[in-house]
Amino acid sequence: MKIVVTVKLVPDPNAEKRIDPATKRLVRTGVETVLNPYDEYALEAALQLKERIGGDTTVTVFAMAPESLKETLRKALAMGADDAVLLSDAGLEGSDVWGTSYAMAHALKKVGFDLLIVGGLSDDGSTGATPGALAEYLQTPLVTNARKADVADGKLQIERETDTGYQIVKAPLPTVMTTALTFGEPRYASLKGIMGAKKKTIAAMALADLGLDQSVGAAGAKTELLSFAPPPVRGKGNVVEAADGATGAKAIFDFLKEKKLV
Amino acid sequence: MQNVIVYVQHKQGNTPKVTFEMATLARKLADQLGGKAHAVVVGAGSSRLAETLKSYPLDVVHVNDDADVDGFLLDPIVEYLDAAAKAVGPSLILVANTLGGKDVAGRLVARLGAGIVADATDFKIEGGKVEAVMPKMGGAAITTAAFKGGAYGIATIRPNAFAAQAGGAGAAVQPIEKPVGKSYAVVVENDVEEGTGELALEEAPVVVAGGRGLGGPDPFETMLKPLAKEFGGAVGASRAAADAGWVPYSLQIGQTGKTVSPNLYIAVGISGAIQHKVGMRSSGTIVAINKDAAAPIAEFSDLTVVGDAFAIVPELTKLVAAAKA
Ligand SMILES: Cc1cc2nc3c(=O)[nH]c(=O)nc-3n(C[C@H](O)[C@H](O)[C@H](O)COP(=O)(O)OP(=O)(O)OC[C@H]3O[C@@H](n4cnc5c(N)ncnc54)[C@H](O)[C@@H]3O)c2cc1C
Ligand SMILES: Nc1ncnc2c1ncn2[C@@H]1O[C@H](COP(=O)(O)O)[C@@H](O)[C@H]1O
């Protein structure tokens, strides 16, 4: 079985983000690029499934990102993925969610898969819409928020979290699946994994390989970014020392009353 | 993009509050665009829910009690919405930014070849163009994006960001035809409601969150829950509290948990690590109770009370209860 995992390369979510007021862009100096956290969970799910299914099951990671970020993908290989595909092209720059999924779907069709595992949310784009758009373009089912998955008789049996509980669903292959964070904590790359990753292949793909009918990148985008600004400064508010419970409670209560929150 | 269509997510007719927020928003946007406000309600219990929706300022509520919607995952909903969008014509489609909503929105992006704005907290219409305001990167940036034209646009809507207001002339309830000749791939074998009957964290107007400072599971039940209840809110937690097994992971707020933006966030015994901050920093008002004046949370709280949570919270609960009485 061939499992493919999409991995977005994003500015480190743990870094304090700063926006340059002059350029209205994210200050990237000193901010490392990392694997999108949700995608590490997706990869963990793929690796667990590979261990469980065994046989000739393989895990390929796929990213659409500038060529310069290629080495960041090694982390996924060090965690245990077998190989990687990187779709890079100047013509993809400025793609919106529609263009990203349209281009990615065409590339993933070429890569081929039985199971495509996509992260639930990217830290920078944060639409959560990519998995659905990919499934639609790839004409496969979509099963999101899986916390458990198994393959039996060529079908996927998935336990998934919903807004109000959970469901057990059965899906044919190929399918697009996303994982909930409860699927399992992403593993650390072992020293052996890190060494081994250096020898694994990262295949390159470009726009010309996809044969798209519609233009992507900034020109083809269906939405445009008008502004990107820091949030209104949330300055340090009042700090009140409370001698006892009643004083502390009253300080909060009075404040909430003033704000019309009680 | 001239009409507005609201996708109404529900289970057996029970729908989250964000539905009514979207119904109210749809009217406003449709008036500015010079179009009509529609809602699509499908699945068991739809007719009952449509009766409630009638008192919101919509023009047409499209209804089908089709049980297949509940028996199969997602596909039937996408088929209905696709059909409704094509019948209504160029529209902005509003979908709640919930787990289930995102799936529907994503499928529609490709189905309709449409742009999407995600997690919108405000809208502006400029010369017929729809612009949306969206906090990104855990609130580190506020972005504005516009649709560049196109017949359809999708917007996912952040719960609690818009006011719900009943009223209006009363919508016409119309049956919507079941799309024919469609096959649905994913069978729902078991559908379990973990019906605590409690408010979903992302929906709650007030969140009272606890951290390692609470020392164990009991204070979440005996101290935070009663306070949350007085506010009509919900209890959340830091990762330290979830990791310790004091509360389920479903209550965790932060980078690897939920993102919440209630009107009021009360952090009790939480230090305010960056990974926690990104899940709650866009809350309306933030109050912290911490015995350490130097805790990082004081840097981004509107009010920090330095003191013992075990002494303060019960007193606060009493004050809020008395104010309501
Ligand atoms: C990759 C990654 C992802 C993470 N994701 C998340 C996430 O999603 N969410 C999250 O929350 N964390 C996350 N963390 C963990 C985060 O870094 C912090 O460790 C965590 O938020 C700390 O939780 P806490 O504030 O409850 O505990 P602590 O940092 O231990 O703080 C406890 C606080 O309680 C106060 N206190 C103690 N006793 C009392 C009392 N009686 N009354 C009042 N105050 C008292 C203390 O002064 C202290 O400030 C993540 C970390 C990593 C590395
Ligand atoms: N450029 C990309 N390369 C690889 N995967 C991506 C890319 N963009 C989005 N994804 C995948 O889609 C998921 C959801 O992203 P988003 O819709 O941006 O929230 C991510 O967790 C990734 O798995």
Side-chain angles (χ1 to χ4, degrees), chain A residues 14, chain B residues 210-214 237-241 252-257 268-273 275-276 289-292 295 307-310:
Chain A
N14 292 327
Chain B
R212 198 184 335 252
L214 290 184
S238 72
R239 175 147 167 184
Q252 183 187 319
I253 292 163
Q255 183 204 318
T256 44
V268 186
I270 291 179
S271 63
Q275 298 92 350
H276 187 76
I289 302 174
N290 199 301
K291 64 180 186 190
D292 176 10
D308 181 14
F310 292 92

Side-chain angles (χ1 to χ4, degrees), chain B residues 1-307:
Chain B
M1 216 184 288
Q2 147 198 7
N3 300 293
V4 181
I5 303 175
V6 177
Y7 160 57
V8 178
Q9 191 186 355
H10 72 98
K11 209 117 204 219
Q12 308 290 336
N14 298 320
T15 194
K17 189 168 62 95
V18 62
T19 292
F20 305 111
E21 294 164 4
M22 291 193 296
T24 311
L25 173 66
R27 168 82 280 139
K28 204 174 117 197
L29 295 175
D31 286 346
Q32 285 177 276
L33 290 165
K36 294 253 192 301
H38 297 256
V40 176
V41 198
V42 292
S46 293
S47 299
R48 183 165 66 82
L49 177 52
E51 285 306 308
T52 312
L53 280 165
K54 256 169 101 173
S55 59
Y56 282 81
L58 294 158
D59 294 305
V60 187
V61 182
H62 305 264
V63 182
N64 195 318
D65 290 280
D66 182 359
D68 276 353
V69 170
D70 307 281
F72 295 93
L73 195 65
L74 196 57
D75 314 64
I77 295 169
V78 176
E79 298 303 338
Y80 273 107
L81 283 170
D82 184 30
K86 285 175 184 151
V88 167
S91 341
L92 173 67
I93 303 173
L94 307 182
V95 180
N97 192 28
T98 54
L99 287 181
K102 285 177 198 156
D103 299 352
V104 171
R107 290 279 299 265
L108 288 175
V109 163
R111 179 66 69 98
L112 301 169
I116 182 168
V117 294
D119 202 20
T121 57
D122 201 5
F123 285 93
K124 254 188 298 201
I125 310 237
E126 295 280 348
K129 260 198 174 181
V130 180
E131 295 179 15
V133 176
M134 303 163 281
K136 292 286 163 192
M137 296 187 299
I142 307 295
T143 62
T144 310
F147 292 100
K148 289 180 23 186
Y152 296 98
I154 321 285
T156 59
I157 305 298
R158 178 179 285 202
N160 284 321
F162 299 90
Q165 181 83 59
V173 175
Q174 272 178 18
I176 179 168
E177 290 290 321
K178 183 183 170 96
V180 289
K182 303 292 175 185
S183 58
Y184 307 137
V186 185
V187 185
V188 177
E189 299 198 321
N190 202 350
D191 197 347
V192 182
E193 289 292 292
E194 286 173 319
T196 49
E198 279 161 31
L199 217 52
L201 202 48
E202 295 97 321
E203 288 259 323
V206 175
V207 171
V208 181
R212 198 184 335 252
L214 290 184
D218 294 347
F220 282 86
E221 280 295 317
T222 58
M223 209 164 79
L224 298 197
K225 217 180 209 171
L227 178 58
K229 213 166 186 176
E230 289 303 335
F231 281 117
V235 171
S238 72
R239 175 147 167 184
D243 277 344
W246 301 343
V247 295
Y249 277 108
S250 56
L251 297 195
Q252 183 187 319
I253 292 163
Q255 183 204 318
T256 44
K258 297 197 160 134
T259 302
V260 299
S261 53
N263 303 327
L264 171 62
Y265 190 89
I266 306 183
V268 186
I270 291 179
S271 63
I274 174 76
Q275 298 92 350
H276 187 76
K277 181 181 175 184
V278 298
M280 45 66 78
R281 67 192 279 170
S282 44
S283 302
T285 297
I286 300 173
V287 172
I289 302 174
N290 199 301
K291 64 180 186 190
D292 176 10
I297 194 140
E299 297 301 323
F300 56 93
S301 293
D302 300 293
L303 174 70
T304 303
V305 171
V306 182

